[in-house]
Structure formats: C-alpha cells, structure tokens
C-alpha cells in the first residue's frame, strides 16, 4: 500500500462518504476503498507535520513497484479516463430531495474535489426534463422563424462553418441550494451547491443568426426550444439575445456531451441554467413572451402576499467555501487554506470576504486569476486554526457593487417556503467542531 | 510572453471600460458578424410540424379541434393516471394537480396547474409538447383539448359539460391570473460590514 500516492484530490482533508446507501460500500466488499481511506488519514497526519505544529517521524523510503516495471502501454486509440483512485469524484443525484423517477431529475457536481475554475466535462451537473436524447448531428437542424424577414434553417455543418468564439462562463441551476434555506438538509457542498459548473464554451453569437434572418420591427422576445422529450422551452428577451447569448457546440475543448445538449445548445451567460436550452432545435421571434409552464409554475419565486416573481433569470452574486466543507474532517490545528468559488450573473467578482467567527468579523480573501465576467472565480485564505470551534463562511461582491446577502436578508423580501424556492444566493456557513468535523450550519 | 501579457492587459482594460458604462455587466465583446451567411431560406410551412408553441396569454397558436371533460377523463384514466393518480390528486410519481388557489399567501403553497397557471392555454402547450412523459407529442389535438378540459374541471374552473377549443380555452379565467410580477431584483440591500457585524 505504501507505494500508492496520496489521493491529492482531498489533500490534507479527508472527505466523508456522502450519506446514501447507493454509494456506501461495505468494507468487506471493497477493501481497497477502505485502505485508501486509511492512507488518506495518514496523509492528513503528515500534512499537519508540514504545517509546523509537530514534525512527525517519516518512514524510510523503499523503491516503489512502479519504478521497477513498465507501465501500461499506449493503446491504438482511446478516450482517457481519470485514475482509478479518483473513482469517488462522481456526479451524483441529490440525496436530499429524491425524485421518484430519474428522467426529469438532476445530478450534482463534486465541487469539493474541483481544482481550478473549470469543471471537467464528465462531472458537469445535469438537469433534464425528460432524460437525455442521443441526437445524430448529421440529422439535427436549427430553425429561426417568427418575426423575422427571412425564416432560416441550419444544419450542424452550416453552424460549424462560421468563425467561432470561446468564452468561460459558469452555469448554475436556479434551484441550486434550494434544499438548504431554513434547515441543514445537505451534508456536503456537492449536495448544497453542486448544481453549479463552469466551462469554456465554444460556438457562435446568437446575434449573428438573428442578423441573417433579419428581425422585424417590434421584435422583443424569442423562444428557444429543445429537441428532447420535454420540448423544453423558454422565452428570452431580445436584449439578452443580442448581447452575450451564444449558440454553443463545444465545451472544454470537445463537442458537448449528450447530457449537455449535444450537438447544439443555447448559452445565456450568467442566467439560470434552464434558459440555456439544450439540444436546441428552434428559435422563434415575437413581440411578447409566451408564459410557458416553465415561466409560471416553475422557475418563479414566491413573494410575500401571494405574488410570484417571473422571468427572474439572472443568477445573482454568490459564493461558497468548498474546502473545508461539509463532511470533511480537519486533521488538527494548524494551517488550513480555505478555498472556495465566487460568481455573479451580473459581471465580475471584485472581492470575497471570509468570516471565521460566524459573521461577526470578516477579512478579505485573495482572488486567483483569471477573474472573468460571469465565471467561477477562485478565492483563497490562509487560516491558522487554533483547534477551537469555528463557523466559517464567504461573502462575495461583484462589479456592480452588489453584496451577497444572508438568508435572513433574502427572507425579508421573499417567501422561503414551500421548500422548492429558487435563487438561493445566501451566505453559506460551515461549522467546524473542536475535533475537526465540518458541518452544514445554514440554520 | 510580454506581448501576450500586453494583449491580456488591454483586453482587461477594455472589459473594465465596458463594465463602467454598462452596470449590468455585459460582455459585449463578441466579434462582429463575419459577413458569411449559411442559413437556408424556408417558408413558415416548412416549420409547421415543429411550430407547436402557444402564446398562452391570449391562446395564439391554439390549433383547430376541441375536447370535452368526459373525453378528457377517459384519456386521463388511460394515459396519465399511472403517474398522477386518480382524479389528478397525486400518484406514484407526481403530486396533486388540483386546488391550492387559497394557499398562496401562506407558507404552505400548493403548486398545481390551477394555482400556478395564470393562463389556461399553458395546459395545452405543456401537455402537447411533454405529456405523457413516455410518449410526448403522441396525443392528437382533440385529446389535448379534452385533457385540458378535464384538469380545469377537476380544479373547479369549468363545468362538467364544458368543451374546450381555441376560443373557450383562452377565455377561462385562472384564479392567480394577476399573481405574477416581473423581476425587480436586486431586492436585497446587504452591506459589506467587516467588523462587529452582529449587533
């Protein structure tokens, strides 16, 4: 066992298994995973030594087997996969609000294991309304019609012929964190914030194709519709379509994954994920919105007095600490680098503050470059933990001056019930106990 | 390396300038149209089979045809009851599609087509495009009208002898028609306090 390298994804923090039977492996059935965890614990102890609290005695080194043998040969062709030792880094369905079917459902990104700001394609979160269609790009068509001078049809080959543009943007579901407004429902940050990912998207500006079709006088809205079994559909204001909206086919250097809309999706930077309609087949221009079910019964926000806020598509400034986060155990007092993500649908992140005492006092964290418009931004703060109970949280500020609010501040303006309430961008605290356990402390 | 850094700095400065004039934080740095056009002209008739959207506020786009509450119940009991339960009161997969109108001012809002559709044609648009979940777009227009009539009747919004068509469906007054307001955020006014922030 000693020859195995430490699981670098968790560093000096060990991450507890998410609390579901689905992923829980009895030790007798998976001894390797048990041993791996033991190694991780040992790694934690060593890291504490490195932090200068106490210097542990290292063991004498032996030559690892990997130095004494040839490795795996290069196959004729393959699609490379992560190390077998990273098998715990998985997208997973929610453990909190479990649907009785998994077609109109979602799976969440393991943010606690993400290094840097780009989410690997295999763990980008999913939200579908009728499962994932498998679409042959040779047969896929995009149509633009309605209030345009010239209705047009495009094949994927047509779209791929244009010069392309690539942009880094986050994508967040409007329902991200909705289980955790008023109770500590989620154990890990994957469960509480995992409907969030970030990628480099490649495609063409939507405005190019609208230019070609020619908007008629009075065109104010357009619809984007998917070729999936739900025919998912949203009304989009023409200003957004002409501003930064993209039609994308590329994601992190490769074609979109089927679950991300292959071969073509809309991308509305900074807006709730469901407006970035996947498997995009149709755009229709009009003078008014359509008020689809997805714009009244869903994706609306309850307000006091029986009203609902509609077309609330922008994702407001938000941040969360991903390390340490729920389910992790600190190895002991000493240096802990607090890491997290901040993002805003209104622009760039300009500052992130971190509290170590439950919101009484705050200090500014370091933002790591690149800091981009409507993109995940990495923040870091070095914390010398004294081993006493603490409550840590982050608070982001964006380029419009908007300051991330607390749940209490949001609750002053909106209804936080019935439990399916969207647009939770509240400050999210984690508690750290004297024995190093990190837990959800939102309520 | 230096020129790359310079380019990055200029790009960053331009982005900053863009943000300064546009407080909503638009990128607006997308390249101009390349001047090539690859779209193929078509007539609106060519898109007929795809043209299924209904403007639900006035029913524009509703097709010819009609369906009764009684027909709707018959179709519902064949195609919908397995997931949504008898009388649309909730079943093996989904919750109730009936009532909830009077819960909107409480903390126990019940979300149903009756309570959350400001316009009745949403039923037609949604059922036709997405239901039943295992064979969407398989229902005929008359069947979609009938199911819309049945769900509205179960919600007490049309009588048992009602027949829905393009005109009558758009004329149904939904209880929460005026409950929806357009996004007025930012609503919160958090301040960036750094010291002694808990009073």
């Amino acid at each position: 066992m000693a020859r195995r390298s430490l699981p670098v994804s968790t560093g000096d923090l060990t991450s507890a298994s998410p609390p579901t039977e689905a992923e829980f492996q009895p030790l007798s059935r998976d001894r390797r995973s048990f041993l791996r965890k033991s190694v991780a614990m040992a790694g934690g102890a060593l890291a504490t030594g490195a932090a200068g609290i106490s210097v542990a005695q290292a063991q004498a080194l032996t030559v690892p087997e990997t130095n004494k043998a040839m490795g795996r040969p290069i196959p004729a062709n393959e699609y490379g996969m992560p190390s077998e030792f990273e098998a715990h880094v998985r997208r997973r369905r929610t453990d909190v609000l479990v649907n009785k079917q998994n077609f109109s459902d979602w799976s969440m990104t393991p943010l606690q294991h993400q290094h840097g700001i780009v989410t690997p394609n295999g763990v980008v979160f999913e939200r579908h309304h009728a499962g994932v269609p498998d679409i042959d790009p040779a047969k896929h068509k995009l149509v633009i019609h309605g209030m345009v001078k010239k209705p047009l049809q495009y094949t994927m080959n047509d779209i791929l012929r244009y010069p392309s543009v690539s942009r880094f943007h986050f994508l967040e579901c409007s329902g991200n964190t909705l289980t955790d407004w008023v109770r500590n429902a989620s154990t890990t940050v994957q469960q509480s914030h995992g409907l969030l990912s970030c990628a480099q998207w490649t495609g063409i500006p939507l405005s190019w194709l609208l230019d070609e079709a020619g908007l008629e006088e009075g065109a104010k809205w357009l619809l984007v519709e998917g070729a999936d079994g739900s025919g998912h559909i949203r009304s989009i204001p023409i200003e957004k379509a002409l501003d930064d909206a993209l039609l994308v086919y590329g994601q992190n250097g490769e074609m979109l994954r089927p679950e991300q809309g292959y071969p073509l999706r809309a991308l509305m930077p900074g807006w709730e994920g469901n407006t970035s309609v996947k498997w995009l087949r149709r755009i229709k221009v009009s003078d008014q919105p359509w008020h689809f079910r997805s714009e009244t019964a869903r994706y609306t926000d309850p307000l006091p007095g029986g009203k609902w806020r509609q077309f609330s598509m922008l994702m407001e400034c938000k941040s969360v600490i991903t390390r340490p986060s729920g389910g992790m155990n600190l190895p002991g007092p000493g240096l802990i680098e607090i890491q997290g993500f901040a993002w805003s649908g209104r622009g760039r992140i300009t500052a992130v503050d971190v509290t170590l005492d439950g919101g009484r006092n705050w200090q500014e964290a370091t933002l790591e470059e690149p800091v981009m418009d409507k993109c995940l931004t990495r923040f870091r703060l070095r914390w010398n933990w004294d081993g006493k109970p603490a409550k840590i949280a982050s608070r982001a500020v964006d380029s419009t001056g908007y300051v991330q609010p607390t749940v209490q501040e949001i609750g002053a303006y909106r209804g936080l019930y019935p439990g399916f309430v969207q647009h939770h961008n509240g400050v999210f605290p984690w508690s750290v106990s004297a024995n190093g356990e990190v837990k959800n402390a939102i309520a | 390396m230096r020129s790359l850094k310079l380019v990055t700095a200029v790009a960053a400065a331009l982005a900053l300038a863009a943000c300064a004039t546009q407080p909503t934080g638009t990128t607006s740095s997308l390249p101009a149209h390349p001047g090539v056009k690859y779209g193929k002209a078509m007539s609106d008739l060519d898109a007929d089979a795809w043209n299924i959207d209904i403007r639900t506020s006035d029913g524009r786009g509703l097709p010819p045809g009609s369906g009764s509450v009684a027909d709707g119940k018959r179709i519902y009991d064949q195609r919908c009851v397995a997931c949504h339960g008898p009388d649309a009161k909730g079943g093996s997969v989904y919750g109730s599609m009936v009532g909830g109108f009077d819960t909107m001012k409480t903390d126990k809002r019940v979300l149903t087509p009756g309570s959350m559709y400001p316009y009745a044609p949403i039923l037609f648009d949604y059922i036709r495009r997405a239901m039943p979940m295992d064979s969407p777009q398989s229902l005929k227009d008359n069947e979609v009208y009938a199911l819309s009539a049945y769900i509205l009747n179960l919600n007490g919004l049309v009588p048992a002898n009602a027949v829905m068509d393009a005109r009558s469906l758009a004329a149904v007054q939904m209880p929460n028609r005026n409950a929806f307001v357009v996004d007025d955020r930012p609503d919160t006014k958090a301040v960036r306090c750094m010291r002694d922030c808990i009073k």
Side-chain angles (χ1 to χ4, degrees):
Chain A
M1 283 312 298
R3 70 189 168 87
R4 289 213 165 105
S5 57
L6 300 176
V8 289
S9 59
T10 46
D12 57 341
L13 306 174
T14 57
S15 181
S17 298
T20 56
E21 253 178 280
E23 283 286 302
F24 179 75
Q25 302 284 346
L27 298 183
S28 57
R29 256 204 270 160
D30 191 351
R31 182 167 159 72
R32 195 162 58 186
S33 125
F34 168 66
L35 291 173
R36 204 154 58 229
K37 275 182 194 149
S38 312
V39 174
M41 303 277 207
L46 286 172
T48 306
I53 303 301
S54 62
V55 177
Q57 185 65 49
Q59 291 174 346
L61 300 173
T62 57
V63 178
E65 294 303 316
T66 51
N67 274 143
K68 301 195 284 191
M70 294 196 294
R72 283 184 284 110
I74 297 176
N77 58 68
E78 71 171 341
Y79 193 98
M81 300 300 286
S83 160
E84 61 170 306
F85 303 107
E86 296 299 318
H88 55 290
V89 182
R90 290 290 172 102
R91 188 160 67 194
R92 43 187 301 125
R93 291 178 70 200
T94 174
D95 302 297
V96 180
L97 215 166
V98 184
N99 288 310
K100 291 174 183 162
Q101 43 74 38
N102 55 355
F103 295 90
S104 179
D105 199 13
W106 48 91
S107 71
M108 312 177 92
T109 295
L111 296 172
Q112 69 273 36
H113 299 298
Q114 182 173 324
H115 301 290
I117 58 173
V118 169
T119 309
N121 286 341
V123 291
V124 169
F125 83 88
E126 300 170 280
R127 172 50 170 131
H128 321 305
H129 298 84
V132 181
D134 288 304
I135 296 177
D136 178 350
K139 293 179 183 158
H140 190 68
K141 294 226 169 92
L142 172 69
V143 158
I144 300 186
H145 68 149
M147 287 176 65
V148 293
K149 298 186 179 100
K150 197 170 141 191
L152 294 172
Q153 224 182 76
Y154 297 84
T155 63
M156 282 308 296
N157 277 340
D158 293 334
I159 288 168
L160 287 159
R161 277 180 78 186
Y162 287 92
S164 66
V165 54
S166 293
R167 288 286 183 276
F168 287 90
H169 289 298
F170 77 83
L171 193 65
E172 185 184 18
C173 177
S174 53
N176 200 20
T177 321
L178 68 69
T179 49
D180 295 71
W181 282 103
V182 292
R183 62 192 187 96
N184 302 330
S186 298
T187 304
T188 67
V189 73
Q190 180 168 11
Q191 296 166 325
S192 64
H193 288 74
L195 295 173
L196 168 73
S197 297
C198 185
Q200 187 190 36
W201 308 95
T202 300
I204 62 175
L206 169 54
S207 62
W208 288 5
L209 302 194
L210 294 176
D211 274 358
E212 264 177 51
L215 295 175
E216 283 182 358
E217 192 76 22
K220 290 266 167 34
W221 290 76
L222 54 78
L223 67 75
V224 278
E225 182 183 59
D228 63 316
S230 77
H232 179 60
I233 194 161
R234 287 294 312 251
S235 307
I236 305 291
I238 211 81
E239 294 81 10
K240 180 70 173 178
L242 296 177
D243 176 18
D244 58 357
L246 300 171
L247 305 177
V248 303
Y249 45 79
Q251 180 182 350
N252 291 334
E254 62 183 2
M255 289 297 283
L256 294 167
R257 296 286 173 95
E259 65 271 28
Q260 295 304 327
Y262 183 87
L264 187 70
R265 77 179 298 170
L267 191 83
M268 304 292 164
W271 281 19
E272 60 189 26
N274 75 83
T275 61
S276 291
V277 169
K278 298 184 282 193
W279 314 293
L280 182 69
R281 72 164 196 174
R282 188 164 71 110
I283 293 167
K284 186 177 185 180
V285 180
S286 183
D287 56 347
Q288 311 177 22
W290 281 258
H291 300 276
F292 295 116
R293 174 183 177 272
S294 48
E295 297 165 347
T296 70
R298 296 289 183 275
Y299 306 117
T300 50
D301 313 306
L303 303 172
K307 299 285 183 188
W308 290 78
R309 180 181 281 140
Q310 192 182 19
F311 300 118
S312 50
M313 297 169 285
L314 188 139
M315 299 306 291
E316 295 191 289
C317 182
K318 183 170 175 179
S319 67
V320 67
I321 294 173
T322 54
R323 181 183 185 273
S325 61
M328 293 183 181
N329 287 289
L330 302 189
L335 178 69
I336 307 286
E337 187 188 59
I338 292 176
Q339 302 175 353
F341 293 119
W343 63 99
S344 170
R346 288 197 178 89
R348 284 172 304 107
I349 293 299
T350 52
V352 176
D353 304 319
V354 168
T355 179
L356 305 169
D357 58 9
R360 186 171 301 279
N361 299 299
W362 297 79
Q363 52 190 298
E364 192 163 347
T366 304
L367 302 185
E368 186 174 76
E369 292 292 336
V371 177
M372 292 182 279
D373 185 68
K374 299 162 195 153
C375 186
L376 286 195
T377 297
R378 187 53 113 170
F379 65 85
R380 303 173 183 279
L381 182 86
R382 290 182 187 178
W383 175 34
N384 202 2
W385 183 43
D386 59 9
K388 295 189 180 128
K391 200 193 262 191
I392 62 174
S394 61
R395 178 185 68 193
V397 184
D398 73 16
S399 48
T400 68
Y402 176 96
V403 179
Q404 182 184 2
T406 62
V407 166
Q408 290 70 32
E409 284 166 327
I410 299 169
Y413 299 95
R414 304 180 212 164
L416 302 186
Y417 299 89
F420 225 97
V421 177
Q422 318 273 315
H423 295 288
H424 182 332
N425 69 323
V427 167
F428 204 92
W430 304 107
S431 66
V432 180
S433 69
N435 65 2
E437 267 185 287
V438 185
K439 285 186 171 170
N440 183 343
I442 190 70
Chain B
M1 265 326 276
R2 178 170 296 169
S3 66
L4 184 66
K5 271 184 185 161
L6 187 65
V7 169
T8 313
V10 170
L14 287 174
L16 267 177
C19 282
T21 54
Q22 183 55 265
T24 50
T26 173
T27 34
S28 289
S29 55
L30 293 176
H33 193 288
V36 288
K37 296 181 176 182
Y38 299 130
K40 289 166 193 68
M42 63 165 201
S43 76
D44 249 338
L45 271 179
D46 295 328
D48 208 35
W50 289 16
N51 195 18
I52 57 169
D53 59 279
I54 310 297
R55 186 164 77 190
T56 67
S57 54
D58 60 5
R60 191 165 92 175
L62 282 170
S66 66
S68 67
V69 172
D71 283 347
K73 177 175 170 44
R74 187 175 46 75
I75 299 159
Y76 181 92
D77 288 344
Q78 289 166 8
R79 308 290 299 271
C80 319
V81 71
C83 292
H84 293 282
D87 304 323
K89 284 180 179 152
S92 62
V93 183
Y94 296 106
S96 178
M97 293 197 287
V98 178
F101 317 148
D102 51 351
T103 63
M104 289 293 135
K105 292 182 183 173
T106 73
D107 274 350
K108 295 192 166 49
R109 297 172 181 87
V110 178
L111 313 186
T112 74
S115 67
M116 290 300 284
Y117 290 5
Y119 310 114
I122 296 174
L123 278 163
F124 191 97
D125 179 90
Y126 185 68
I127 294 170
R128 179 165 69 170
R129 74 173 53 251
M131 290 291 130
M133 201 169 180
D134 60 358
S135 56
Q137 297 199 40
S138 65
L139 294 167
K140 296 183 173 63
D141 290 343
N142 287 349
E143 295 177 307
V144 179
Y145 276 120
L147 285 168
S148 305
Y150 179 56
I151 300 297
L152 289 168
N153 175 253
L154 290 174
N155 277 279
L157 299 172
V158 301
N161 62 358
V163 173
M164 289 292 119
D165 59 18
R167 240 178 51 134
S168 58
L169 184 62
V172 174
Q173 289 295 308
M174 300 299 283
N176 283 323
R177 186 183 182 101
N178 298 316
F180 292 85
V181 296
V182 170
D183 189 11
D184 57 349
R185 295 172 302 160
D187 48 3
T188 58
K189 297 166 186 71
V191 293
R192 196 179 168 203
C193 170
M194 300 302 282
R195 290 271 155 245
D196 298 318
C197 303
I198 296 175
K199 305 295 177 226

